[in-house]
Amino acid sequence: MPDNNKIVVAIDGYSSCGKSTIAKALAKAVGYKYVDTGAMYRCVALYVLRNAPFSLQQGVDEAWLQDRLAGIHISFALQPDGSQHTLLNNEDVEKQIRTLEVGNAASQISTIGFVRRAMVAQQQAMGADKGLVMDGRDIGTVVFPHAELKLFLTASPEIRAQRRFDELVGKGEKPDFNEVLADVRDRDYRDTHRTESPLRQAEDAVLIDNSHLTPEQQLAEVLTIFNNRLNSPAANN
Ligand code: DC
């Protein structure tokens, strides 16, 4: 049963602009569920990379993938420290899905219409009871076009590349900054130019440029917007 006091918060934006950081922080602060939809596309990509020939230019054999899609089960498991891990057919793949290779494959595979439709149906089911913060590329435009609160995040490509670079270094990888920047730009291009549900700001989304905001400043701003929305009469329509 949907809880009428709760809302759906849709967060969209470019890659590496901190969507999941703010989405997780907001969900924690207000006691909502959090769903990282990028992780779902990454799981499909990891499955493909493990089981089929794949290249960024050629993609994957779509007939092969269509046959197997029903056998790709994605779920989320809450960890004792409060974090969430992504499971692919019950295997914890949280670490494996966060590489550049899987991110690039996910960006390619997420252009396939039947993959998107399958993911969107699962995402909509997760939001049926409200009380949800979901982040991705098409949450405010396709998954929950009637979400009570929509945020669209952005930051400059250089700042996003630096964040991604630092994250990869933190994981023990040795990235090249220019490659990471080129990758950010390529991914932006693919995400905004694909035919199926391209990334775009919903008309009623609040734009937040976090290039020069600390995570704490951003959370404070988002909580103010959230509370205003919750207290506005239109929120529970
Ligand atoms: O947010 P992310 O980097 O984990 O997402 C990985 C890829 O998945 C990204 O290139 C675009 C795609 N994606 C999408 O098309 N739609 C979503 N709702 C979420 C992610």
Side-chain angles (χ1 to χ4, degrees):
M1 268 284 284
D3 179 339
N4 284 335
N5 296 314
K6 293 189 169 177
I7 65 172
V8 169
V9 183
I11 304 185
D12 290 304
Y14 293 95
S15 65
S16 305
C17 69
K19 290 186 302 296
S20 61
T21 307
I22 186 64
K24 271 184 225 164
L26 175 64
K28 190 170 174 207
V30 302
Y32 278 20
K33 276 185 298 184
Y34 162 64
V35 175
D36 169 3
T37 63
M40 298 173 72
Y41 291 96
R42 284 172 182 264
C43 273
V44 179
L46 180 65
Y47 181 92
V48 167
L49 289 171
R50 283 176 170 180
N51 296 293
F54 174 84
S55 77
L56 270 182
Q57 291 70 31
Q58 311 268 307
V60 62
D61 177 343
E62 293 194 12
W64 177 91
L65 182 55
Q66 193 148 24
D67 271 356
R68 279 160 185 79
L69 201 59
I72 303 180
H73 295 288
I74 302 162
S75 53
F76 296 97
L78 197 62
Q79 303 301 298
D81 66 358
S83 68
Q84 201 166 269
H85 282 193
T86 312
L87 310 186
L88 167 59
N89 292 336
N90 288 325
E91 175 194 349
D92 186 331
V93 291
E94 187 55 40
K95 199 155 176 253
Q96 290 90 323
I97 60 170
R98 301 295 168 192
T99 63
L100 268 183
E101 185 194 15
V102 173
N104 280 327
S107 170
Q108 220 279 357
I109 283 163
S110 64
T111 64
I112 303 172
F114 66 80
V115 173
R116 299 205 69 82
R117 284 190 286 282
M119 297 300 117
V120 168
Q122 292 180 30
Q123 291 153 10
Q124 287 172 334
M126 293 174 196
D129 293 340
K130 305 227 172 196
L132 173 77
V133 181
M134 185 174 272
D135 77 351
R137 304 292 189 290
D138 58 343
I139 312 305
T141 51
V142 176
V143 183
F144 294 114
H146 303 296
E148 291 85 353
L149 176 59
K150 299 178 186 177
L151 303 175
F152 191 86
L153 299 195
T154 183
S156 74
E158 290 74 15
I159 285 184
R160 288 187 282 130
Q162 187 64 52
R163 290 177 186 159
R164 183 86 189 120
F165 179 88
D166 295 343
E167 202 178 296
L168 291 167
V169 169
K171 284 181 191 159
E173 293 189 32
K174 293 193 175 64
D176 172 86
F177 179 79
N178 288 327
E179 268 178 32
V180 176
L181 179 59
D183 184 78
V184 163
R185 292 189 195 281
D186 285 353
R187 225 183 273 189
D188 285 357
Y189 186 86
R190 276 200 297 274
D191 289 350
T192 51
H193 285 78
R194 65 182 181 217
T195 333
E196 291 277 344
S197 315
L199 170 66
R200 67 174 177 83
Q201 182 182 348
E203 275 170 25
D204 50 349
V206 180
L207 178 69
I208 298 180
D209 183 336
N210 65 21
S211 298
H212 303 291
L213 291 181
T214 63
E216 294 75 24
Q217 288 168 331
Q218 184 173 220
L219 177 60
E221 187 172 327
V222 167
L223 275 173
T224 304
I225 300 170
F226 175 88
N227 287 320
N228 287 342
R229 195 72 198 89
L230 209 59
N231 295 326
S232 79
N236 300 324
N237 280 349

